[in-house]
Amino acid sequence: MTQPTILLVDDEKANLKVLSELLKKDAHISLAISGQQAIDKSLVFRPDLILLDVVMPKMDGFETIKKLKAIKETSEIPIIFITGLNSADKEKLGLTLGAVDYIYKPFNSEVVKARVATQLKIIRQRNELQKLSQELAHASEIKSRFLANMSHEIRTPLTAVIGYAESILAGEIDEDEQYNAISIINDSGQHLLSLLNDILDISKVEADKLDVALIPTRLFKLIEEVKLLVGDKALHKGIEFNIKCQFPLPSKLITDPTRLKQILINLLNNAIKFTDQGFVDLVIKNTPPFLQFSIQDSGIGINSEDLSKLFIAFSQVNNTANSNVGGTGLGLNISKYLSEKLGGNISVLSKKGEGSCFTVKIKLKEADDSIWFKNQTDIDNAIVIPCNDAKPQKKLKGNILLAEDNKGLRTLFTLILTKLGLTVTIVEDGKQLVEAALVSEYDLIMTDIHMPNMGGVEAMNLIKLTGCETPFVALTANAMTHEITHYLDIGFSEYLSKPIQREKLVHVINHCLGINSRIDEIDIPENNLCQLKNDFLDDLSLDIKNIKNAFSHKNWQQLQFFAHGLNGSSAVFGFKEITKLAAKLENGLQTGEFPTDRLKMQLIIDNLTTTFFSLIKK
C-alpha cells in the first residue's frame, strides 16, 4: 500500500525535527515553516494530512486553516492543530474552523503517533469508501445502460414474433405469404435465443461454471460452418471477407467445437459490424503450442483509452458513434473466458480509424487420426458440405423492366431473372427506361444508378411523377450504409449491390412483388457464363481506354463514371483485382483524394492496364 503524505507546518525547526522523527516510519514527510508555504505546498503535493502549528508569525494557524478550507483543491485535507496554548476558547475556535484534532506541546510521542494513526485510518477508510462508491456508481451506470440496450434488443424481435403470430392466428396473412412470416418469426426467435445465451453464459462466467467439452474436431469443417454463418453479413455490407490459411495446418484437433465457433463468430460479427468498407480477414496459422486465429479488419478501430474496457462485461466502446449496432456488450468478455478455458487467450491491436486485429490462441492438441494439410487442395478434398433439399422450390412470376448500361451485365441479369421464371424487358439507359415505363406496365422496375444520358434516380423520379406506383430496385456497386439509406429515402423500395447474391435477389423480388418463393439453385449453363466473361474481357480494353482518355483530359466526373461502371461489372464476373483497382479509383475521386494525388491515379490506371494484359494472356 502506498504510504500517506503528511505536511508538518511549524516556524520552530526543532518541533519539525521531533515530529519528523516520530512519523517518518509511517508516512512520507513534507515540511513548511510558514502559513503561506503550507498553502503553496498543499496545492502542489496534496498531502493526506496536515499538522499545523497555531502560533506563527505573519499568518497564524487559524488564518492558514481559513485559507486552506476556502480553496477547493485543499478544502478536504484533514488538519490537526499543534499548540502549546491551554485555552478552551482557542480549541473551540480551531474545531469550528475545521480542525479534526489537537496535538499539545510538549509532545508525548505515543499520543502524537496514536492521534496521527487514527486520522490516517479514517483517511484510508474514507478513500476506500469513495473508491467503492465510484465503482458502484460506474457498475450501476453500466448495468443501467445494459438493461436499456437489452430492452431495445429484446423488444424489436419480440414485436415481430408477436405481430406475425397474431396476424397468422387472425387469418390476416395469405397462405402463400405464411412461409415468409414464419421465417421472420424463426429468425427473430433465433436472435432472442442468442441474447438469452449471452446472458446465461455471463452468469456462468461470473460463477466460473461455463464448461467446455474437449472432443476430436474437424478444423476446416468448423471453419466452413463459421464462413456460412457470417459470410452473408459481409456480402450484405459490401465488405470483402477472406479466410487465409498459413500452412501446414492440422486436419483435426482436440477442442470444444461449439465454444470455438462461438468465439470466432462473435469476433467476426464484431469486425463486420464495425467495418463499413474494405475487408474482414480470418487468418489461421500454427504457432506451437497454440493454434492461432487472427481476425483483421479495415474498420473504425478503437481508441487507446477504450482498449482496457473491451473485455469487461456489459461494456460497449464506441457506443456514441455507433449506437445503432446493437448487441449485449457481453460477447468479448465471454470469448476471453472461453479462450482461456481452451488453453489460450485473446489479445487485440487497434488504432482509431485504422482497423483492428483480434488474435485468439487455443491450445493445439492434435487428434490421433489428424493429418497435416499442406495446401488449399488438401482442404477442399476433405470437406463435404451437406445439401438441404427441404426448402420449397417455386418459380417466380412477374414482368420485370431492367435498365443496365453494361451489355454483359444486361445479358447476365436477363439469364438469371429468366431462370427464375420472370419475364424481362431490358433497356440501356434512363431515357429508354422512362419511355418503356410509359408504354407498358410492369410488376417491378430494376435500374442501375449510374448510366449515360440519364441515371436511375432521375429516371425513377420522372416515372413516379406520372403516378406510377411500381416498386423500384436500385442496382449499384455502392454498398455503403449512407448511400443505401439515401436510395431508400428518395423512393427506392429495395436495393441490390453488385455482385448480386442469389438469395438477396430472390428476397428482394419476393418483398417487392408480395410473393413467397425460394430458389436454391440458378442453373446457368457453364458455356453461357464462360462466354459472358470472354465478352467482358473483350470490352475491357475499351473501358480502360475510356478511363485513360478521361484522365488525360482531366474530366474527373467522366472518370468517376467509368471507374464506377468497371467496379460493378468486374465484381459481377469475379475479376477481383480489376474490381479492387476500379474501386480505389472511384473512391479516391469521391473522397477528394483525387485528382490532388495525380501520381497515385496514374499508378492505379497503369496497374489496370497491366492486369488486363495478364488476363487476356491466360
Side-chain angles (χ1 to χ4, degrees), residues 226-512:
V226 170
K227 180 181 177 182
L228 290 172
L229 288 168
V230 303
D232 284 348
K233 294 179 182 179
L235 288 171
H236 181 72
K237 290 190 71 175
I239 300 166
E240 188 176 349
F241 174 52
N242 304 295
I243 294 176
K244 299 180 178 180
C245 299
Q246 296 185 9
F247 298 100
L249 290 167
S251 65
K252 192 182 286 189
L253 66 153
I254 304 296
T255 191
D256 186 323
T258 301
R259 295 308 188 183
L260 179 55
K261 274 196 295 185
Q262 184 178 352
I263 296 169
L264 296 178
I265 289 169
N266 177 66
L267 294 175
L268 286 166
N269 280 340
N270 278 352
I272 293 167
K273 184 189 298 183
F274 292 105
T275 301
D276 289 330
Q277 59 181 341
F279 68 90
V280 172
D281 290 344
L282 171 59
V283 182
I284 310 165
K285 70 176 180 178
N286 174 32
T287 57
F290 300 109
L291 186 63
Q292 178 176 300
F293 304 85
S294 295
I295 292 85
Q296 303 169 351
D297 67 63
S298 59
I300 63 174
I302 304 164
N303 285 319
S304 56
E305 59 267 26
D306 285 332
L307 287 174
S308 60
K309 306 175 188 174
L310 279 177
F311 299 102
I312 299 174
F314 308 108
S315 293
Q316 288 178 299
V317 302
N318 293 313
N319 52 341
T320 300
N322 296 278
S323 58
N324 61 324
V325 296
T328 62
L330 303 176
L332 287 176
N333 179 268
I334 295 168
S335 296
K336 180 177 183 294
Y337 179 88
L338 288 174
S339 68
E340 292 169 355
K341 281 282 190 177
L342 296 178
N345 56 64
I346 291 182
S347 60
V348 58
L349 293 172
S350 185
K351 190 172 181 180
K352 187 67 174 177
E354 298 183 13
S356 304
C357 178
F358 284 80
T359 299
V360 181
K361 292 181 179 179
I362 64 168
K363 184 178 180 180
L364 175 54
K365 182 180 180 181
E366 286 185 78
D368 292 338
D369 56 345
S370 175
I371 60 175
W372 284 84
F373 291 148
K374 298 177 182 178
N375 51 49
Q376 186 63 42
T377 303
D378 290 347
I379 297 172
D380 294 338
N381 292 336
I383 296 176
V384 178
I385 303 173
C387 296
N388 185 357
D389 299 323
K391 299 172 185 174
Q393 304 281 333
K394 295 181 183 179
K395 288 286 186 180
L396 302 181
K397 292 182 180 180
N399 294 317
I400 309 294
L401 175 59
L402 171 68
E404 170 60 63
D405 63 304
N406 183 280
K407 179 184 175 182
L409 295 186
R410 285 199 304 272
T411 305
L412 178 61
F413 292 158
T414 302
L415 272 172
I416 293 173
L417 293 169
T418 303
K419 284 287 181 180
L420 291 172
L422 299 162
T423 303
V424 185
T425 301
I426 57 173
V427 294
E428 298 179 14
D429 60 33
K431 285 187 176 180
Q432 293 182 15
L433 180 66
V434 174
E435 292 171 3
L438 292 175
V439 171
S440 304
E441 291 187 2
Y442 298 92
D443 299 305
L444 181 62
I445 297 174
M446 304 174 71
T447 177
D448 188 24
I449 294 296
H450 298 281
M451 296 182 290
N453 299 322
M454 183 184 293
V457 173
E458 186 181 353
M460 179 192 70
N461 289 335
L462 288 173
I463 293 168
K464 288 200 170 189
L465 285 174
T466 67
C468 175
E469 296 182 354
T470 302
F472 277 76
V473 174
L475 305 175
T476 178
N478 295 335
M480 297 303 100
T481 302
H482 70 279
E483 292 168 328
I484 292 166
T485 302
H486 172 67
Y487 298 145
L488 298 178
D489 287 344
I490 63 176
F492 284 95
S493 301
E494 274 284 5
Y495 76 95
L496 287 166
S497 56
K498 301 174 186 177
I500 291 172
Q501 302 302 310
R502 169 181 50 82
E503 287 190 359
K504 175 68 175 176
L505 174 63
V506 174
H507 170 77
V508 165
I509 293 173
N510 276 334
H511 177 255
C512 291

